[in-house]
Amino acid sequence: MLRTLVPPEVKEECERHLRQTACTDNDLQFLPMCGTHAEKIGEVTQSVGVELYFGFVKRAGALFIFLFTLSAPMLVLNIMGGMINSVNNLQQGLASTSVANLGHCPAIGCRSLEEVEQRCLYEQGHCTGEDGRSQVRDVTEVLGFLDGLTVVAFMVFAIYSVQFWIPRVVYAFDQAHLTPADYSVTVKHCPRYLGSDPLSEEHAQYEQKMKEHFLRLLRERAEEGEEISDDAIVSVALVRDYDNAVVQFMQMGTFQRDVRNSESLKEIYRASNEGGCNDGKIAKVDYAIEQSQKQIDEVRAKLEHQAEKRDEQRPVCGAFVTFEKIKYQAEILHAYRFARFKLFRCCQTSSLRFEGSGIDCWRAPEPSDIYWENMDYNPIKRCGRRFCAGLATLITLICGGLLLVSIKSTTVPQPIVEYRSWVIESYDPQNVSQCMTGCEWEFYPTITCTGPPIRLDDKEHVAYLFTAIEDVEIAEWNETHGGDEETCSDAMKSAACDTDGDDTRDWIGIEFVRRQRILCMRVTQNAEYAIDLIRIWGCHGGIYNANRTDWHPQDHCLPMQVVRAHTDVVEDGHTGVRSGNLRVAQERSCSQEISTEGVLIAQSRGDKWSEHCFCMQALQRNPQLVSPPYESEEQKICEDWAKEQAEVYGLLGAGVGAVCALNFVLLQIFTFFINMEKLSTVTEVTRSQLSKLFPAQFINTGLMIYLVNARFGEIPTVYKTITEPLSLGKGAFYEANGDWFAAVGTSLFVTIFAQALSTTITPVIRSKIVAPLLRFKVLYFDKKVTKESLEALYLLPEWNIALRLAQSMNIICCVLFYSGGMPILYLVGALYCFMSYWLDKYSLLRGSRRPPAYSENLLEHCLNWAPVPMFMHTIFACGVLSNQNIFPSDWSILRKPCEELFMIELSEYNRIMEDWVYAGDDVRGTLWSDFLRARWLDFSRKGCWLLLLIFFACTVYYVAAILYWFLLKPIVHPIVAACSFCWRAICCCRAKRDKEESEMAWSEALKRMQEHSLVTEYSMTGHPSYYLAAQAIKSSADMLTAGAAKAAEADAPLMPVTDEETPAQAPTA
């Protein structure tokens, strides 16, 4: 049975320490989950940053619900549509919620761009707009306007939060809570030492001189009749220069604590050492003490001259001055309000200067917000480190992108329409056989039937033509069946033409010399037997020499989609009818029941789609179909299909897992980079974490997958240095279409949803499972017995607000980025905010220590990123909602200005789009740059005119921001800061504190702060995280003092002996 050596009273004190450092009330009881609102959390943690975080998440959830309401009409119409046909059920379900599913084509599908743009909104068929049925085009302007309103709503939310909500919360927090920062200022740019050197007597009086300086300023600015006593300055805490040795002092303090723990453990073993049973354990403890002492000596040797200095002999880097009353702090801050700018500090009056040096004063951070190990770091070196850390962050992001490239490529495998034989068959929904005829047949490698065709008299490519009962060689074609639109009386006829319906083989076929890639064809039929619905079949092997007595294309060929042909004669007297463009695309519907025999034949000819339909139908009948062992006939047939589906989902899960794992690894790497920056406050460190984690997670989660699956045409060589190493622009999609939403959109949705789930559950697991296990290990296996060694263990995990803000902003940006095409993401965002609010509250109130006193700067910095998702949303939404194949709409009044802006006229636009439609994949790369210009003009359509205006506004904002930060900031920043102060003072009603509160003495306020267990001292001694370093510094100073005393005693000269004191010599014998 496990037994701990910790005395019960020590363990009880440690458990009390755990509750004291947790988010508990004055009775050390954990707060209830329900009823503890954001204001109460801010009161318990004494952190306005934490209060703002929970308020922000709650309001963001309400915002997403509002945005979901605005986009609900589009989502409903998307779900009611029928344009998406995907092999994978997950892809089919999620893509059906996208805008690519909007509307319905006729039963045989949309066979031209005109039919796509004029498709019906609610039902299958071809809508002309004059038959009373609604077209998709009729609602796109309203739906696009609603999407633009979502961006406007988010913009209003961000501006209101920064300019009004955050200042009011901060003001209310300051009115309700007193903290040391309300009474203190931090002094910067102090002289490093007074007098000739740090060993001078004048430097030893540094604190006193600074106290006298501020007392003089207060007395000069005191109201008439007001007396400023010497107690107006409570304390002056100097920031000493330890030459970056505070970390070493902390290590020394830790080793000294281990020595004290080992000595206590040794005493416990000695007390129960009956019969020498603990001699071995005592020997081990002695060895541990010896090793700890060696480590202390090694650290002391590294410290060199730092361990040989007293604090009063060290140079000064800054100071924290605490006043007796809040109004004294306000007076000093007002006096130094211009000193924060170097230009004004150079012109500082002599009364404000301290010992001849220009100084500036800021409102002090909270004592718990200070990183004492970095307070003495050189500001210039810190800037250099921040630059190096930023560069290392960029390199890390590039390396992370390279790792994700192989997993994140989610292209759709397009079926290669390349077959040896082709068959056309009459199609009738009632399965009634018709007469199929043909006197001319043209084949094209492009989807628009452009370019040089393959004709029936092309002996280089065409081998034979055939029906079920007739074979025709190419040499005989023109003599027996050849013709055109004018003369087609001798057309080749199928077997069903002369049997009065007894023969159902209503097809004719062609066999090529070798396989051909056919994407479009044209057929000239006999006008008397012209058929409007035609089924196309593609066959891998040759058919001419096969026995066609009982041969049917459905048994040996792959079905293409049914196409609609023209049946009207152009002019009287013509005996032929040209079909128009018949697009060749593989069938993607599972409307017909497939038998076991049918699927076996389909597998033999490589028909994966029929196999998929059969297995999906079987899966609905038997959910255990995909579970091994594969014993039944259906399971054996679908075994390969089940493994392929498992592979698809496995790769999808691997991609999601890779993103989550990479984000975790980046957190550890960025922690190292942030430590390199040597930042001086917890808020600065947290802000740096946020600045690095959010872009990294957003790139990995939302941006990289889009770029990897995008396809770029010809781009300048300078850009290839970026795109080539990262394999960007080599995907399958020039723009977002139905296939994009089925493949990439599904992966994005799953990744965002997984990120939302994992980021909210992880803190709870860490605090409720990992932390208790670590305490159990230390209690029963690591032999910690003293209170000070166990206190570090009896601390709940830290609640990382930077990570939570970065993860929240990542989800918000990803949702807003793609919600223009996938409005269901707003629901995901609302769900995330709901989970984040409650799970983060549970993690903080029940499983985390009290966080530092974060300031409002964190959330302000977070909301400064708000233009990013707005800008990304407008680009993506304009690209999708201006795509006429997805979201058809007419031109708006913005077309003319956009023609001037984008330097493209409507005639040129029509030419480019026509060339793009007719071009094959090999040609589109060269047309890509012109195609982009034409697509920019599409942004001025009615479906996205509001989004275009928002895009222009965001562009102007970013141009102004770049000019400001890189050119105008040194000149304009003081003016902007002054205007900002005035704006906040006027619009946010920042009144001064009540007179009673501003007159409250420090001693009375100190009692209130101690009730909340706040850190109140601006020193390492009063900070719980640095008391070991303070002890080590004190012990080094004590050793130095003791050594100096011994040296002085040893080197003291002997006192001379006078004659009177000389003892009389004894007489000699």
Side-chain angles (χ1 to χ4, degrees), residues 188-189 192 239-248 315-318 370-388 673-681 684:
K188 299 181 179 181
H189 302 99
R192 289 183 58 80
V239 180
R240 300 284 184 176
D241 185 2
Y242 293 93
D243 196 16
N244 308 316
V246 175
V247 175
Q248 283 77 18
V316 175
C317 303
I370 298 175
Y371 268 130
W372 284 98
E373 62 265 39
N374 299 331
M375 290 295 293
D376 57 350
Y377 200 76
N378 188 292
I380 298 178
K381 291 183 178 180
R382 180 178 291 144
C383 292
R385 280 177 168 265
R386 297 191 72 172
F387 174 78
C388 294
F673 291 160
I674 292 166
N675 291 335
M676 286 177 50
E677 295 179 351
K678 300 293 184 181
L679 301 175
S680 57
T681 65
E684 289 180 353

Side-chain angles (χ1 to χ4, degrees), residues 674 677 679 683-693:
I674 292 166
E677 295 179 351
L679 301 175
T683 298
E684 289 180 353
V685 170
T686 307
R687 180 171 176 170
S688 180
Q689 285 180 332
L690 177 61
S691 300
K692 293 175 175 60
L693 287 174

Side-chain angles (χ1 to χ4, degrees), residues 592-864:
Q592 296 181 350
E593 187 76 18
I594 299 178
S595 63
T596 303
E597 295 77 10
V599 73
L600 291 174
I601 296 174
Q603 287 181 332
S604 65
R605 67 172 185 259
D607 186 357
K608 290 290 186 181
W609 182 261
S610 298
E611 178 187 7
H612 166 75
C613 293
F614 171 82
C615 294
M616 289 301 303
Q617 294 165 3
L619 184 62
Q620 294 177 357
R621 295 189 299 266
N622 178 21
Q624 302 300 322
L625 178 75
V626 296
S627 303
Y630 302 99
E631 298 175 346
S632 67
E633 184 178 10
E634 289 183 343
Q635 285 183 320
K636 291 178 181 179
I637 292 174
C638 296
E639 180 177 357
D640 293 339
W641 175 84
K643 292 179 179 178
E644 290 176 0
Q645 295 295 306
E647 183 180 359
V648 170
Y649 287 108
L651 289 176
L652 184 62
V656 174
V659 171
C660 297
L662 182 60
N663 287 339
F664 176 78
V665 172
L666 288 177
L667 173 62
Q668 311 306 317
I669 296 175
F670 290 158
T671 300
F672 173 76
F673 291 160
I674 292 166
N675 291 335
M676 286 177 50
E677 295 179 351
K678 300 293 184 181
L679 301 175
S680 57
T681 65
V682 178
T683 298
E684 289 180 353
V685 170
T686 307
R687 180 171 176 170
S688 180
Q689 285 180 332
L690 177 61
S691 300
K692 293 175 175 60
L693 287 174
F694 162 63
Q697 294 192 354
F698 176 64
I699 290 173
N700 295 335
T701 305
L703 192 58
M704 183 61 69
I705 188 173
Y706 183 88
L707 296 177
V708 167
N709 289 281
R711 187 171 183 179
F712 302 156
E714 292 184 354
I715 59 176
T717 306
V718 65
Y719 296 141
K720 291 184 179 180
T721 58
I722 300 174
T723 60
E724 290 294 331
L726 293 175
S727 297
L728 302 180
K730 297 182 179 180
F733 305 100
Y734 284 105
E735 58 182 343
N737 52 23
D739 291 335
W740 186 95
F741 282 103
V744 185
T746 299
S747 180
L748 278 168
F749 181 91
V750 175
T751 302
I752 293 171
F753 187 81
Q755 279 286 101
L757 193 64
S758 62
T759 55
T760 51
I761 293 178
T762 301
V764 178
I765 295 176
R766 188 180 68 246
S767 61
K768 288 301 182 180
I769 298 177
V770 177
L773 289 177
L774 291 176
R775 283 199 295 272
F776 178 84
K777 172 182 175 294
V778 174
L779 276 176
Y780 291 96
F781 296 99
D782 290 355
K783 309 304 181 185
K784 302 291 186 182
V785 295
T786 61
K787 178 185 175 184
E788 64 173 349
S789 62
L790 286 171
E791 279 183 347
L793 171 67
Y794 273 83
L795 280 176
L796 293 173
E798 291 185 359
W799 188 70
N800 195 336
I801 190 174
L803 179 61
R804 295 302 301 123
L805 276 172
Q807 291 167 342
S808 299
M809 284 300 298
N810 174 38
I811 300 298
I812 290 173
C813 287
C814 288
V815 166
L816 287 169
F817 186 0
Y818 295 105
S819 57
M822 305 173 67
I824 196 174
L825 287 175
Y826 287 129
L827 193 60
V828 175
L831 178 63
Y832 168 78
C833 291
F834 176 81
M835 294 175 57
S836 178
Y837 180 82
W838 287 103
L839 291 180
D840 281 346
K841 183 192 286 190
Y842 180 80
S843 176
L844 176 65
L845 297 182
R846 301 296 174 85
S848 302
R849 74 182 73 167
R850 185 181 292 110
Y854 296 113
S855 69
E856 68 276 12
N857 293 336
L858 284 179
L859 198 61
E860 289 178 343
H861 179 66
C862 189
L863 287 172
N864 285 338

Side-chain angles (χ1 to χ4, degrees), residues 959-1013:
V959 171
I962 292 173
L963 291 176
Y964 173 76
W965 285 103
F966 291 96
L967 293 176
L968 303 177
K969 184 178 179 180
I971 302 173
V972 181
H973 182 61
I975 302 174
V976 173
C979 294
S980 177
F981 295 151
C982 295
W983 168 262
R984 295 201 172 198
I986 296 173
C987 296
C988 304
C989 304
R990 280 186 171 272
K992 295 183 178 180
R993 287 182 179 270
D994 297 336
K995 183 176 181 181
E996 179 181 353
E997 199 169 73
S998 62
E999 295 284 347
M1000 183 181 296
W1002 165 259
S1003 56
E1004 185 177 350
L1006 184 61
K1007 296 178 181 178
R1008 293 189 182 184
M1009 300 174 199
Q1010 290 174 345
E1011 291 178 357
H1012 294 283
S1013 302

Side-chain angles (χ1 to χ4, degrees), residues 108-115 417 422-427 436-450 453-454 508 510 517-526 530-537 560-568 577-586 918:
I108 62 170
C110 295
R111 299 308 173 210
S112 66
L113 296 179
E114 291 76 12
E115 289 188 2
V417 189
W422 292 87
V423 175
I424 55 174
E425 180 184 23
S426 66
Y427 175 82
M436 189 74 224
T437 63
C439 58
E440 181 59 48
W441 205 348
E442 299 173 349
F443 302 88
Y444 297 85
T446 62
I447 62 175
T448 54
C449 290
T450 56
I454 300 176
I508 59 177
I510 184 173
R517 178 180 175 85
I518 304 301
L519 297 178
C520 185
M521 62 178 65
R522 291 173 179 165
V523 178
T524 301
Q525 303 182 73
N526 186 289
I531 297 171
D532 61 340
L533 298 181
I534 299 175
R535 166 77 78 181
I536 303 174
W537 300 87
M560 304 294 130
Q561 295 179 4
V562 176
V563 294
R564 182 185 297 275
H566 298 304
T567 58
D568 297 331
V577 178
R578 293 180 64 85
S579 64
N581 297 350
L582 305 180
R583 184 178 176 184
V584 179
Q586 188 171 334
Y918 292 162

Side-chain angles (χ1 to χ4, degrees), residues 882 890-896 898-899 902 935-945 948:
S882 65
D890 298 324
W891 295 108
S892 71
I893 59 175
L894 298 177
R895 179 176 63 83
K896 286 291 184 180
C898 288
E899 287 181 0
F902 300 135
R935 292 289 287 115
W936 280 107
L937 186 61
D938 272 331
F939 288 6
S940 61
R941 290 186 178 270
K942 290 182 178 180
C944 51
W945 66 269
L948 179 63

